[in-house]
Amino acid sequence: MADMDKDIRFLKGVGEKRAAMLRKLGVSTVRDIISFFPRRYEDRSRLTPIAAAGTEPVLIKAMLASDARLSRVRRGMELLKVRAVDDSGSVNITFFNQSYLREQLTAGRVFRFWGRLEGSGARRSMVNPSLEPDESPCAATGRIVPVYPLTAGLAQGFMMRTAALALEECGDEFPDYLPASVAERMQLAQPRFAYHNIHFPESAEALDCARRRLIFEELFVFACALKKLGAMKGRLPGPVIGCAGADEFFAALAFSPTGAQRRAVAEALADMRSGKAMNRLIQGDVGSGKTLAAAACLWAVCSSGFQCAMMAPTEILAQQHFETLSKLLAPFGITPVLLTGSMTAKQKREALAKLASGEASLAVGTHALISGNVEFKNLALVVTDEQHRFGVRQRAALSEKGLSPHVLVMSATPIPRTLALMLYGDLDVSVIDELPPGRQKVDTFAVGSEYRERLNRFIEKLVGEGRQVFVVCPRIEEDELGDSSLLSAEEHAKYLAAALPGLRIACVHGKMKPKDKDALMAAFVRGETDVLVSTTVVEVGVDVPNAALMIIETAERFGLSQLHQLRGRVGRGAHKSYCVLVSDAKNPEARARLEALCRTNDGFKLAEEDLRMRGPGDFFGSRQHGLPEMHIADLCTDASVLKSAQEEAGLVLADDPNLAKPENAALAARLEQLFDISRSAMN
Ligand code: ADP
Ligand code: MG
């Protein structure tokens, strides 16, 4: 009997070391590896005559004109050379450090070689091709060959062998979550066929059939989960917050809210009056004032006698929200408590006691807030900043605790509307599409490091006019320290201090004590330093209206939306502001990102661009949404398949709402495994 849950360590040729590397790719069982799909394929099935080969990799079949000759070029480097001919021409074949091939490479034998031809005429050569003797079965050549997404240390050949072994291990038993009726209606391939052909396609047509089945299956499971989660939510009553409007709160502000802010708040308040649990996303570009909209909702709930929690993805951001909210809510006698990992045990105990007793009505903190031992007296609203850290899983976790608070999510990375509707269906969206008055477009430039001299003069000029400057350097991971092309914040600050004598330069980075960092940040906010060099800590939102220049070093290291967020730190005051992206990157993807940023200030357009460039697999990965990552489906290009998957999911759930029928057992188990949707929650 097949064992899909068998540990891959026990497959021939894997062993502990490679098993550990595979685990990094999320692969630890036979089931995982057969679901670890190739990223692309190489068609090594068609033979090309040597003379006809272009610059693309080709498959040639050629006879060796001589025995291979071995030479040592320099210490530790061995070169194996042989000449091969076919009817059309000849080619020199070279292998580096593969002297073990020498025995095989004897005059007169015929091989299939897969590789790229370089050079021209008599100099044509192929370096380190894949090869197989012509008489042996096609494994690495002569067929369509998978190419797997890999980490360092794992070779394609190893992956192919391991996938083949795992497929064999499965025998006739493969993951199959589709009810038979659905597979039949949709005319989908059988699982055994699909898994074999997705790894080792017999033909282009077979690959198509395999992909169609697996994509549909993935989207079908996804659609079922969304329907179940949606159904759960629809069923849940939410606390009724009687508050009719937020005028009283707005009246206490030093400025007036924008129309878009008022609208978003009115929509949220209407949700919370309805008796059903709110599930609302507030989308607004960086600087559009989402915090204020959230504060108005928190005010409404707290002043109606209920408790709220505000969650942020990082401690620094939690701290900042805590300060902002303390100020905004003080006029109403609402005093938030802060709950973060770096507090002392005593501080935490006090905060927890206040929440449990109901003495405190608002908690601000990191994820710890909804997990573990935090008890609330009457939690009615959870606000989270940045939707990508809070997903359906957390919702489910809360409801399993018997809580069904209203949920308000704030995000600056807008999901394109069509996709949001398809994905969430019932998630309501408020868009803050209006910036507070006085914001200006930030002029953005991408430059190479040869521009540095002029950039330094520009810094001096702006500081001379009384402005301040942010400089952001990429964070450096321990294992990247060898890469000298990366600037660390500290090093760069030293460089700037030498290049710009007379300017007051400070440097903050992630390894500093929070107290020291805060002190330096505060000094910058007060205008006591001219240039603040930092790692991305500024991303999470210091507000310095006097800052007019944002310089981002090694800009290709940042994602598009992160760059946009960083740029949002300037252009907040009355001064003309600039963003300079410094990058020597040549690769087209990086260039495209930087150019997109220069072209537009519109976060929504950038998000769509980001989606187009990165692909939704990334965009909608579990990291962002708490949803499982898509292995093979692509929510953008497979939108029509998603639609039929949703229809089929609807049919199946209408017929068997609790998935209790035997033919739906595998599906029910899969939902439980992927989405924490337990059977009890489904009733
Ligand atoms: P984001 O949407 O990026 O989270 P914030 O909520 O941090 O934006 O707001 C950015 C800045 O704009 C803050 O300093 C905030 O006080 C200010 N702000 C928010 N709303 C308004 C408004 N209606 N008028 C003027 N300033 C505002
Ligand atoms: Mg914000």
Side-chain angles (χ1 to χ4, degrees), residues 313 385-391 409 411 413 622-626:
D385 201 355
E386 289 308 319
Q387 111 277 2
H388 57 267
R389 315 286 176 119
F390 186 84
V409 175
S411 173
T413 27
S622 54
R623 215 161 29 89
Q624 274 102 343
H625 290 266

Side-chain angles (χ1 to χ4, degrees), residues 253-259 261 283-293 317 321 324 328 385-386 410-412 432 434-437 439 540-545 565 568-569 572:
L253 296 173
F255 45 77
S256 56
T258 62
Q261 284 170 322
Q283 283 183 353
D285 209 346
V286 198
S288 62
K290 296 181 291 291
T291 317
L292 186 76
L317 195 52
H321 280 323
T324 308
L328 286 171
D385 201 355
E386 289 308 319
M410 300 185 287
S411 173
I432 303 190
E434 190 181 340
L435 293 180
R439 292 283 155 75
V540 292
V542 283
D543 210 21
V544 187
Q565 298 256 347
R569 295 298 125 208
R572 295 184 155 225

Side-chain angles (χ1 to χ4, degrees), residues 30 33 39 72 90 111 177 200 225 260 292 309 377 420 429 455 468 491 499 534 541 543 593 622 639 657 683:
V30 164
I33 196 137
R39 181 199 293 285
R72 288 192 175 72
S90 67
F111 286 88
Y177 312 118
F200 304 106
L292 186 76
K377 183 157 172 263
V429 183
L455 191 52
Q468 286 167 282
E491 252 172 58
S534 69
D543 210 21
R593 268 206 316 273
S622 54
N683 298 322

Side-chain angles (χ1 to χ4, degrees), residues 157-485:
F158 164 76
M159 288 302 287
M160 267 162 58
R161 279 194 305 280
T162 310
L165 277 176
L167 289 168
E168 212 172 286
E169 192 75 23
C170 287
D172 277 328
E173 202 181 312
F174 285 87
D176 183 3
Y177 312 118
L178 288 180
S181 57
V182 175
E184 200 170 310
R185 259 199 305 275
M186 298 302 299
Q187 306 195 333
L188 298 169
Q190 292 301 313
R192 184 177 196 286
F193 178 91
Y195 279 95
H196 275 272
N197 278 282
I198 200 75
H199 290 281
F200 304 106
E202 282 160 19
S203 65
E205 296 72 41
L207 176 59
D208 272 351
C209 285
R211 281 181 55 84
R212 210 170 82 78
R213 146 105 204 179
L214 295 168
I215 288 172
F216 183 90
E217 186 170 39
E218 183 159 58
L219 292 175
F220 174 80
V221 170
F222 184 60
C224 287
L226 290 178
K227 280 206 195 308
K228 295 286 354 167
L229 291 161
M232 279 163 65
K233 180 212 141 208
R235 210 172 32 82
L236 292 175
V240 177
I241 309 299
C243 182
D247 286 348
E248 192 189 335
F249 172 78
F250 290 144
L253 296 173
F255 45 77
S256 56
T258 62
Q261 284 170 322
R262 283 184 189 278
R263 216 161 36 239
V265 173
E267 285 166 352
L269 293 186
D271 287 354
M272 293 194 287
R273 276 196 303 274
S274 73
K276 294 236 173 80
M278 167 170 77
N279 188 23
R280 182 169 290 277
L281 171 68
I282 294 188
Q283 283 183 353
D285 209 346
V286 198
S288 62
K290 296 181 291 291
T291 317
L292 186 76
C297 298
L298 295 169
W299 166 83
V301 173
C302 290
S303 50
S304 304
F306 291 92
Q307 285 177 307
C308 306
M310 168 101 169
M311 294 199 301
T314 64
E315 290 225 356
I316 300 175
L317 195 52
Q319 179 76 38
Q320 211 149 48
H321 280 323
F322 175 73
E323 280 156 23
T324 308
L325 292 172
S326 298
K327 271 187 223 125
L328 286 171
L329 298 172
F332 307 98
I334 300 166
T335 313
V337 294
L338 182 67
L339 202 62
T340 64
S342 63
M343 287 164 53
T344 65
K346 180 157 170 276
Q347 288 171 321
K348 274 187 210 158
R349 247 193 335 271
E350 282 170 11
L352 288 172
K354 282 185 186 168
L355 292 173
S357 70
E359 184 190 336
S361 57
L362 173 58
V364 182
T366 48
H367 257 163
L369 269 186
I370 54 155
S371 63
N373 53 3
V374 185
E375 259 179 59
F376 289 90
K377 183 157 172 263
N378 57 359
L379 181 66
L381 170 65
V382 176
V383 177
T384 72
D385 201 355
E386 289 308 319
Q387 111 277 2
H388 57 267
R389 315 286 176 119
F390 186 84
V392 279
R393 263 174 207 274
Q394 284 84 354
R395 274 192 83 83
L398 277 175
S399 70
E400 258 160 42
K401 274 186 172 184
L403 294 168
S404 62
H406 300 293
V407 173
L408 186 67
V409 175
M410 300 185 287
S411 173
T413 27
I415 305 172
R417 208 175 175 79
T418 47
L419 270 172
L421 288 175
M422 236 166 15
L423 282 176
Y424 295 99
D426 52 0
L427 178 100
D428 298 305
V429 183
S430 298
V431 181
I432 303 190
D433 51 4
E434 190 181 340
L435 293 180
R439 292 283 155 75
Q440 357 182 334
K441 180 175 174 295
V442 177
D443 284 345
T444 307
F445 307 93
V447 303
S449 54
E450 77 282 356
Y451 195 83
R452 193 161 299 289
E453 267 306 304
R454 284 163 73 190
L455 191 52
N456 289 343
R457 301 289 84 79
F458 189 49
I459 297 176
E460 281 177 335
K461 173 173 170 286
L462 285 177
V463 172
E465 292 167 6
R467 301 289 78 75
Q468 286 167 282
V469 179
F470 283 115
V471 180
V472 175
C473 301
R475 194 188 303 274
I476 299 185
E477 308 292 338
E478 299 282 324
D479 59 356
E480 288 173 345
L481 284 174
D483 187 346
S484 58
S485 65

